[in-house]
């Protein structure tokens, strides 16, 4: 996906334009890989595919390498071009977004490692309903966060900020359900703990998707909403055109 906006379209230096476009392109490529990592990690668990889980763990290095490349390119743009205003916000937003994408990749790797342990132990599929529900929600959040970044869509970004609260509620409900399982059957403690780690990783992925959405607001409006409660957001001011 390409970011399409007139905000960063005209510069005296054609090379500067190209450098900014490459930053956007590389970030979207990293996002695509990370999104697939999350999808494959969950699929490894739900489909009892330990080989797929191992591929997710192995691919984490590729995610890390992409973050390093984006950081290096961003540093070079800052040093050579000394961007100001919206261009500076773009570079800073890309750096922050790459960091969150790398962390999503880490969480996907954690899911895959726990999935492999559960598959190898052949501990059944208790708790998979909760994992499936939350994973579908956070995967959609990651996809929508990347779309909002690509389109500079503040309305979609604000929607994601509210969705993160929904994921938190789903996570708490799932954890209570799994706690009940453990109290009913002490033999389930070990596999349930692994599932709890998976659910925790999914909840954290939702948090990072929320961060990506907040960077979109920062990029487009110059507003830092990272520590603002969703109930306190002036959404009309954020999404107003012009």
């Amino acid at each position: 996906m390409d970011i399409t906006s007139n905000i960063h379209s005209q510069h005296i230096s054609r090379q500067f334009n190209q450098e900014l476009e490459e930053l956007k392109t590389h970030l979207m490529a990293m996002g695509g890989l990370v999104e697939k990592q999350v999808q494959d990690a969950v699929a490894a668990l739900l489909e009892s595919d330990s080989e797929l889980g191992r591929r997710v763990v192995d691919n984490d290095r590729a995610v890390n390498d992409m973050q390093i490349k984006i950081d290096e390119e961003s540093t070079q743009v800052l040093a050579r071009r000394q961007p100001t205003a919206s261009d500076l916000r773009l570079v800073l937003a890309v750096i922050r977004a790459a960091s969150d994408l790398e962390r999503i990749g880490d969480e996907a790797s954690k899911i895959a490692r726990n999935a492999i342990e559960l598959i190898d132990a052949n501990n059944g599929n208790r708790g998979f309903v909760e994992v499936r529900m939350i994973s579908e929600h956070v995967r959609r959040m990651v996809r929508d966060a990347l779309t909002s970044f690509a389109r500079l869509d503040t309305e979609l970004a604000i929607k994601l900020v509210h969705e993160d609260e929904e994921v938190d509620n789903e996570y708490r409900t799932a954890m209570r359900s799994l706690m009940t399982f453990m109290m009913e059957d002490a033999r389930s403690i070990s596999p349930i703990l692994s599932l709890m780690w998976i659910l925790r990783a999914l909840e954290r992925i939702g948090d990072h998707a929320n961060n990506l959405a907040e960077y979109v607001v920062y990029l487009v409006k110059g507003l830092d909403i990272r520590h603002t409660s969703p109930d306190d957001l002036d959404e009309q001011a954020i999404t107003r055109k012009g």
Side-chain angles (χ1 to χ4, degrees):
M1 287 181 288
D2 294 327
I3 295 178
T4 56
S5 172
N6 292 328
I7 296 178
H8 309 287
S9 60
Q10 298 296 328
H11 298 95
I12 295 175
S13 169
R14 181 178 300 176
Q15 182 64 28
F16 189 14
N17 283 332
Q18 182 177 344
E19 290 170 0
L20 293 177
E21 287 303 317
E22 287 179 353
L23 278 181
K24 304 168 192 173
T25 299
H26 293 161
L27 182 70
M28 291 300 107
M30 183 181 181
L33 175 58
V34 166
E35 185 180 352
K36 188 174 189 305
Q37 285 283 91
V38 175
Q39 177 180 339
D40 288 349
V42 173
L45 173 68
L46 300 180
E47 299 171 11
S48 297
D49 189 340
S50 57
E51 180 58 33
L52 179 59
R54 280 188 281 271
R55 287 203 299 272
V56 171
V57 174
D58 291 342
N59 284 341
D60 190 50
R61 168 52 60 184
V63 175
N64 295 340
D65 289 343
M66 293 180 85
Q67 184 199 14
I68 291 172
K69 180 178 179 64
I70 289 171
D71 281 353
E72 290 174 347
E73 292 173 343
S74 299
T75 300
Q76 290 172 6
V77 169
L78 290 172
R80 288 202 304 261
R81 305 297 181 181
Q82 297 182 348
T84 58
S86 61
D87 292 329
L88 178 60
R89 295 204 304 270
L90 171 62
V91 178
L92 294 177
V94 166
I95 293 172
R96 293 172 179 175
S99 177
D100 275 280
L101 288 173
E102 188 274 334
R103 290 174 184 173
I104 291 175
D106 285 345
E107 299 299 338
S109 184
K110 291 177 187 176
I111 293 170
R113 287 195 296 270
N114 279 282
I116 292 169
E117 291 180 5
L118 286 167
I119 294 166
D120 290 345
N122 193 26
N123 279 308
N125 59 3
R126 174 168 284 184
F128 282 17
V129 172
E130 290 83 357
V131 170
R132 187 186 301 275
M133 178 185 67
I134 295 180
S135 68
E136 289 175 354
H137 199 161
V138 300
R139 282 165 52 198
R140 185 172 65 251
M141 285 184 68
V142 172
R143 182 172 62 250
D144 287 349
L146 292 170
T147 298
S148 70
F149 206 112
R151 298 176 181 173
L152 300 179
D153 187 338
T154 55
E155 290 186 15
L156 181 55
I158 292 300
K159 176 176 176 288
L160 288 170
V161 171
H162 290 291
E163 274 197 61
D164 188 46
E165 290 187 315
E166 297 176 17
V167 170
D168 290 343
N169 290 333
E170 292 171 358
Y171 169 71
R172 286 190 288 267
T173 298
M175 293 294 279
R176 286 195 295 268
S177 176
L178 292 178
M179 287 290 292
T180 300
F181 287 152
M182 285 198 298
M183 289 187 291
E184 291 175 349
D185 183 2
R187 293 172 299 179
S188 70
I189 291 177
S190 180
I192 291 300
L193 285 175
S194 293
L195 282 170
M196 285 180 166
W197 281 115
I198 288 173
L199 288 169
R200 175 58 177 165
L202 288 170
E203 189 268 341
R204 290 295 297 144
I205 289 171
D207 288 343
H208 291 300
N210 175 74
N211 290 347
L212 293 173
E214 291 174 346
Y215 302 151
V216 174
V217 175
Y218 170 73
L219 173 55
V220 177
K221 295 293 184 176
L223 300 174
D224 190 340
I225 64 169
R226 286 177 294 175
H227 303 294
T228 304
S229 167
D231 294 333
D232 294 333
L233 290 175
D234 186 350
E235 297 182 20
Q236 289 186 341
I238 292 172
T239 58
R240 186 180 300 125
K241 306 298 182 182

